[in-house]
Amino acid sequence: MKRCILVFILTGMTLSVFAQSQTLRDSTVRSQDWTIALDEVVVSVQKRNQNSLEVPIAVNALSGTDLIKLDVRQFDELSEHIPGMQMQLQSPNNPGYVIRGVTSDDGDSRSQARVSIFQDGISISRSRASAVELFDLDRIEVVKGPQGTLFGRGAEIGALHLIRKKPVNAMGGEVTLGYGSYNRKLAEGFINTPVLKDKLLNRFAFTFEDRDGFIKNLSGGDLNGKNTFALRNSTRLFSGERTVTDLVVDYQRDNYPGTSFKNGQYAPAGGDVSPNTTADLEQGKNLYIKRNLGGGGLFVNHDINHAWKFNSVTGFRAFNSDESFDADGTASPLLWCSEIEKGKQFSQEFRFNYTNNRNFNGFAGMSYFYENTSQEVPLRNNEQALYPAYISGVLNGLFAGMFSPEIAGALFPAMPALTNGKPNYTEQIPDIRAIMEQLYSQQLGMPLTLEQIFASLPAEQRQQLTGMIDLLSNYPLKTLHEETYKNTATNHAAEVFADGTWQITRQLGLTAGLRLSYERQKGTYEAAASGQPAILGILQGSPNMLAAVSDGEIADAKDYYSVVMRAALNYLIGRNNFYASVSRGRRPGVVYVEPAGTTFLSPEVIWSYEAGIKGILLNGKLNYDLAAYYYDWSHFQSASLHLEEGASIARYMPDDAGKARSFGIETSLKYAILPDLNLFGTYAYIDGKFNDKDEEGHEQEYAGHHFRLTPEHSFSLGFDFSYALRKGPLFYLRPAYSWKSKVWFEDNNDERLTQPGYGLLNCTAGFRFKPSKNRKTYLEIGLYGKNVLNEKYIIDAGNSGNAIGFPTFIAGNPSVFGGQIRIGF
């Protein structure tokens, strides 16, 4: 067997390369191609195929072959291989995307994404519908910095673009089967068929993965498991020599057990408060994540002549998700919540590309985007359990303010929510009138009634106090309180855009782009009065404790106009590209409708200044890239706990956090030290903080605080060793270690809600049997290990339970091991 050189890089280079000179009609299945050149990295972020060295922006790419070799199958595993990017995946219904320190994870239907997620040029950025399975992909491109000119209204801080494999003019197929820890079962594959040779091609791909949960739930079932099924069909039609049409339809079904939001204060019976061990969430198997999403894309590419091309991209997408979660993280029925979200969207883009093969390449076009989404949040609790956990504390604070801490402590002594893992219940509020009369009588040495105690107060105030106390005295607490609120958003956006590169000299190039947008954003809110009034709500004149009651559905809308732009200079010296850029990005505004009034959050605006160098040295043995950037924000949109008028429990609401800034450095290196041994490494430094003062010179709430989900330092190291055994298979070994420093999970930088620095070691190893001259099949047998050292860490903290003083914590994945067999032809 001829020795093959395996070359791959985790941080910006791809394995399989589609040469620009190869036409679509002559494409063949490339999954068996094991020999590549280091310098051939093709990306399409500027709407045309280019060598990545030519592009004057920070872009990293992982090919489909990379993903297979690294056993990357879901979004959160990407962050280990892309410098400056972090990804949080509580569940497929709750992804968080972080590029260069800025997070995009809000599930409220009225908010917009900061990071755009695209499939073949079609936006799938809506949070609850963006996390898809990574299978049968050509490559993933991650573009950093404001990219509104290239990717539209949601790419304020970057974009993640999934390019899926399309049909090719050759019969081929592949199947992968795997089994691993926690009863993990995997089945994945594709079949590529030329239906009519050179005319009509088809490719069908699927994936199925099922795994038990990492966390046992004492109340029933397990948590943090996985069950997903996805399929895709792609059809390609050649209409003459100049027109190619692709139709892609896809569907994904998720049916996960619930997420372990584990309480950090109260341990389950016989257990501890570690997020990585057994939990006891009282709804048991009623906790789940169910999600359906799918859509279609129609792509028309027509060569008008040698210089002009026309492209049409039509997309439709729909989703519905239902997540049931225990917000307090205990065995007590304090807060059982659901989030039900639905949405549909349509998009259309027309684009003309121009190239004169001398000194100018560019494109111009227009697009339209429509979406309608809704988020419904039912909340349920048992007041008898909530009283010792929360209600008594609220009443204690209320009476301490009106009377004294001593009186409040006697009326509402502190009580634990659970004892030895078992919930404590209080059937009714104490007889406050009798207790107060007794306390004051003892203090003054004479019998007193409540009316006598308040005799010196004005009549109206005296009446209010006695009325409230009589209401609370011996009040029977309910075993079930339910309420629901719902918000919706309808967005229309029309855009025109142009972008191009002028090659001033052979070495010097100027790139500039502009996008003009018009948006019509409409938001609604609705919350009915609960049929089981909550005592905390009653005290504030509402039957609800969380959701402010509305008079039916209330709505508001606003029009927004925006301009985003970019300009970049680059200079080539040999195979090295020096570039500098300035760009303006924008996150759409928010129409946040509430009964108390509508909050119109201003669009978030960022100015980016970046410089970098990337290239190839040492006769092609060393690939490198280095970038430094500075971001300046105004109207930084955040979310914090707010207590709304008429509500008794705070909830997360968007707000304008003012000015912020970020400075960072990123680098990645790949060195082919030997023909069979390649070393790689990445490093990212991010100093992302809120400014001390806003634009008007006022002190800011989060002054000096670090951005959430953003490590200051992160790096990865690893190697790829491959060796072709004499007259035998190819052996490979690929360990990779990644590390990140301390992470805050909230913008208020609460020290309780942090994760100290930690590292993860992953590894794949196996044998690849190449086909012989007379055989077309190939076989690969491999082993994988993830978090090999079984590092204990968390991926999130705070969450909805923080609203009642019960912050919860979500464990990261433990060590898992398994094996896979792949066969193809």
Side-chain angles (χ1 to χ4, degrees):
M1 177 182 291
K2 186 176 180 180
R3 180 173 295 181
C4 298
I5 301 175
L6 290 181
V7 181
F8 82 108
I9 182 167
L10 300 180
T11 59
M13 303 299 169
T14 63
L15 274 162
S16 58
V17 177
F18 294 82
Q20 289 175 285
S21 60
Q22 184 181 29
T23 65
L24 290 171
R25 189 180 299 278
D26 295 331
S27 298
T28 58
V29 178
R30 302 299 299 271
S31 59
Q32 299 105 318
D33 188 2
W34 288 76
T35 305
I36 66 166
L38 282 174
D39 57 346
E40 293 185 10
V41 183
V42 175
V43 296
S44 57
V45 296
Q46 296 192 135
K47 310 302 181 183
R48 60 186 185 274
N49 287 341
Q50 292 179 277
N51 187 306
S52 65
L53 297 179
E54 303 172 19
V55 182
I57 55 178
V59 55
N60 299 109
L62 289 172
S63 74
T65 310
D66 291 337
L67 301 175
I68 292 173
K69 288 175 175 290
L70 301 169
D71 199 38
V72 172
R73 299 186 178 277
Q74 55 189 39
F75 275 141
D76 59 330
E77 297 170 340
L78 284 175
S79 58
E80 300 169 20
H81 312 306
I82 305 294
M85 184 180 76
Q86 304 292 326
M87 304 196 69
Q88 178 199 70
L89 196 64
Q90 286 187 7
S91 72
N93 198 49
N94 279 282
Y97 307 95
V98 187
I99 291 183
R100 291 181 169 177
V102 180
T103 302
S104 182
D105 66 349
D106 197 340
D108 192 296
S109 65
R110 295 162 293 187
S111 66
Q112 301 294 318
R114 284 188 175 105
V115 177
S116 284
I117 315 297
F118 276 79
Q119 284 187 150
D120 297 327
I122 296 174
S123 175
I124 60 169
S125 302
R126 176 57 57 184
S127 174
R128 299 306 186 245
S130 62
V132 296
E133 290 297 293
L134 307 179
F135 70 103
D136 201 37
L137 296 179
D138 180 49
R139 65 186 180 275
I140 297 177
E141 299 173 350
V142 179
V143 194
K144 303 165 191 173
Q147 302 299 336
T149 301
L150 299 175
F151 288 95
R153 57 198 290 272
E156 183 213 21
I157 199 63
L160 193 154
H161 192 194
L162 311 180
I163 295 94
R164 299 173 289 186
K165 286 188 175 181
K166 305 302 185 298
V168 293
N169 199 25
M171 187 70 183
E174 185 176 274
V175 173
T176 300
L177 300 175
Y179 186 81
S181 305
Y182 299 94
N183 198 29
R184 178 181 183 254
K185 298 175 285 290
L186 172 72
E188 186 174 289
F190 74 86
I191 181 73
N192 190 96
T193 308
V195 181
L196 295 174
K197 189 176 182 180
D198 296 335
K199 292 291 184 182
L200 183 64
L201 315 175
N202 196 77
R203 187 182 187 97
F204 175 80
F206 72 94
T207 186
F208 167 79
E209 185 175 351
D210 180 76
R211 172 179 48 74
D212 296 341
F214 298 133
I215 306 294
K216 180 182 178 181
N217 187 7
L218 294 180
S219 290
D222 52 37
L223 304 163
N224 296 9
K226 182 174 183 178
N227 179 277
T228 190
F229 171 71
L231 55 85
R232 180 191 317 130
N233 193 79
S234 305
T235 303
R236 169 165 286 177
L237 173 66
F238 293 94
S239 304
E241 295 294 324
R242 294 187 174 184
T243 306
V244 179
T245 302
D246 288 294
L247 175 64
V248 182
V249 293
D250 60 80
Y251 171 77
Q252 180 170 326
R253 164 69 174 170
D254 299 312
N255 186 13
Y256 284 46
T259 300
S260 179
F261 294 93
K262 189 173 178 181
N263 189 275
Q265 180 182 359
Y266 292 101
D272 54 45
V273 296
S274 168
N276 306 93
T277 58
T278 297
D280 192 358
L281 309 189
E282 56 96 17
Q283 281 298 317
K285 293 183 179 181
N286 287 330
L287 306 175
Y288 56 79
I289 300 105
K290 299 180 185 295
R291 190 180 66 142
N292 293 276
L293 66 157
L298 180 65
F299 311 89
V300 179
N301 300 281
H302 177 68
D303 293 345
I304 300 173
N305 53 41
H306 72 281
W308 286 94
K309 300 179 185 296
F310 170 75
N311 305 97
S312 172
V313 179
T314 307
F316 173 79
R317 191 166 182 81
F319 75 95
N320 63 74
S321 65
D322 180 1
E323 179 169 7
S324 170
F325 61 98
D326 188 321
D328 59 87
T330 72
S332 185
L334 306 180
L335 274 180
W336 173 29
C337 302
S338 295
E339 182 190 51
I340 303 166
E341 191 146 351
K342 300 177 182 179
K344 58 184 178 180
Q345 68 180 54
F346 170 81
S347 61
Q348 176 65 58
E349 178 179 288
F350 297 115
R351 187 178 72 249
F352 289 91
N353 282 55
Y354 173 79
T355 178
N356 62 14
N357 293 321
R358 293 190 302 274
N359 60 0
F360 184 79
N361 294 276
F363 62 86
M366 62 182 67
S367 66
Y368 171 74
F369 177 84
Y370 163 83
E371 71 170 346
N372 181 272
T373 61
S374 66
Q375 180 194 50
E376 185 176 354
V377 182
L379 175 149
R380 316 159 192 92
N381 67 65
N382 182 326
E383 282 189 331
Q384 295 184 5
L386 193 62
Y387 182 84
Y390 182 73
I391 296 175
S392 64
V394 173
L395 295 178
N396 184 298
L398 178 65
F399 275 72
M402 291 190 300
F403 302 103
S404 70
E406 292 74 20
I407 294 292
L411 293 170
F412 311 105
M415 295 179 287
L418 298 92
T419 301
N420 297 325
K422 302 300 181 182
N424 292 320
Y425 296 93
T426 300
E427 294 185 356
Q428 64 182 34
I429 297 176
D431 189 341
I432 299 174
R433 170 183 275 269
I435 296 173
M436 289 190 68
E437 289 177 346
Q438 180 182 7
L439 289 173
Y440 277 94
S441 296
Q442 291 175 351
Q443 288 178 3
L444 298 177
M446 57 182 295
L448 292 171
T449 65
L450 198 63
E451 287 73 16
Q452 291 173 323
I453 295 171
F454 297 151
S456 62
L457 298 177
E460 183 177 354
Q461 186 179 359
R462 183 170 64 247
Q463 184 177 1
Q464 289 176 348
L465 283 175
T466 55
M468 179 189 71
I469 290 171
D470 286 338
L471 171 66
L472 289 173
S473 296
N474 298 312
Y475 183 89
L477 297 168
K478 298 176 179 62
T479 57
L480 177 65
H481 166 78
E482 291 185 275
E483 61 185 75
T484 300
Y485 71 88
K486 180 179 181 180
N487 59 72
T488 72
T490 303
N491 299 312
H492 300 263
E495 301 179 307
V496 293
F497 52 87
D499 192 278
T501 299
W502 175 36
Q503 204 63 41
I504 302 171
T505 68
R506 292 189 63 180
Q507 289 78 34
L508 181 64
L510 172 64
T511 299
L514 184 72
R515 184 178 290 256
L516 308 178
S517 301
Y518 162 74
E519 297 167 303
R520 174 69 172 176
Q521 295 180 224
K522 177 184 177 182
T524 74
Y525 174 91
E526 182 176 9
S530 172
Q532 308 94 21
I535 182 58
L536 288 182
I538 292 172
L539 290 175
Q540 300 186 63
S542 171
N544 293 355
M545 62 185 297
L546 174 69
V549 176
S550 66
D551 184 12
E553 183 181 86
I554 55 177
D556 215 329
K558 188 173 182 178
D559 295 333
Y560 292 95
Y561 300 87
S562 73
V563 178
V564 295
M565 53 75 63
R566 69 169 183 146
L569 278 172
N570 71 291
Y571 190 81
L572 291 169
I573 301 178
R575 304 300 303 278
N576 305 281
N577 188 2
F578 297 79
Y579 65 90
S581 68
V582 59
S583 56
R584 183 184 190 270
R586 174 187 176 274
R587 184 189 192 188
V590 177
V591 180
Y592 197 82
V593 183
E594 293 287 325
T598 301
T599 299
F600 295 100
L601 285 187
S602 299
E604 180 178 293
V605 175
I606 176 177
W607 280 97
S608 166
Y609 310 91
E610 182 169 343
I613 178 175
K614 49 187 171 180
I616 299 175
L617 299 172
L618 303 178
N619 296 319
K621 293 183 179 180
L622 177 66
N623 286 280
Y624 72 94
D625 62 76
L626 173 67
Y629 58 89
Y630 179 80
Y631 295 157
D632 184 18
W633 276 275
S634 58
H635 302 295
F636 192 97
Q637 295 173 12
S638 182
S640 57
L641 285 171
H642 288 268
L643 188 64
E644 300 175 80
E645 182 180 346
S648 304
I649 295 180
R651 63 188 176 100
Y652 286 95
M653 297 171 61
D655 57 18
D656 189 330
K659 295 280 291 181
R661 51 85 178 167
S662 177
F663 169 76
I665 299 173
E666 298 169 355
T667 185
S668 63
L669 299 170
K670 163 70 188 308
Y671 182 47
I673 189 171
L674 295 172
D676 298 314
L677 179 62
N678 299 283
L679 308 180
F680 61 86
T682 71
Y683 172 75
Y685 167 77
I686 302 175
D687 179 25
K689 295 179 180 177
F690 292 95
N691 290 6
D692 292 336
K693 296 182 179 180
D694 63 18
E695 293 173 311
E696 297 178 356
H698 301 136
E699 196 76 20
Q700 298 197 135
E701 179 182 1
Y702 298 142
H705 288 192
H706 294 266
F707 292 165
R708 57 188 291 261
L709 298 178
T710 303
E712 188 173 7
H713 302 276
S714 61
F715 71 83
S716 66
L717 294 170
F719 67 82
D720 172 26
F721 173 74
S722 61
Y723 187 77
L725 303 176
R726 187 183 296 262
K727 296 183 180 180
L730 182 79
F731 169 76
Y732 61 86
L733 175 65
R734 308 181 188 107
Y737 180 80
S738 61
W739 182 89
K740 64 180 70 174
S741 61
K742 181 178 181 179
V743 170
W744 284 263
F745 292 109
E746 298 291 347
D747 283 334
N748 65 10
N749 286 186
D750 187 335
E751 281 293 336
R752 300 173 303 161
L753 311 179
T754 62
Q755 167 61 52
Y758 68 96
L760 299 176
L761 175 63
N762 299 328
C763 187
T764 60
F767 295 92
R768 168 91 177 199
F769 299 84
K770 289 190 66 177
S772 63
K773 293 182 179 180
N774 299 323
R775 297 172 59 194
K776 296 183 179 180
T777 59
Y778 58 92
L779 173 67
E780 182 176 329
I781 300 174
L783 301 174
Y784 65 86
K786 298 184 179 182
N787 190 8
V788 172
L789 303 179
N790 201 26
E791 181 77 21
K792 306 296 185 184
Y793 64 101
I794 61 173
I795 62 171
D796 204 1
N799 304 301
S800 300
N802 207 25
I804 60 170
F806 275 51
T808 56
F809 302 82
I810 302 175
N813 292 353
S815 61
V816 294
F817 300 91
Q820 295 178 169
I821 181 170
R822 178 177 296 107
I823 185 168
F825 67 94

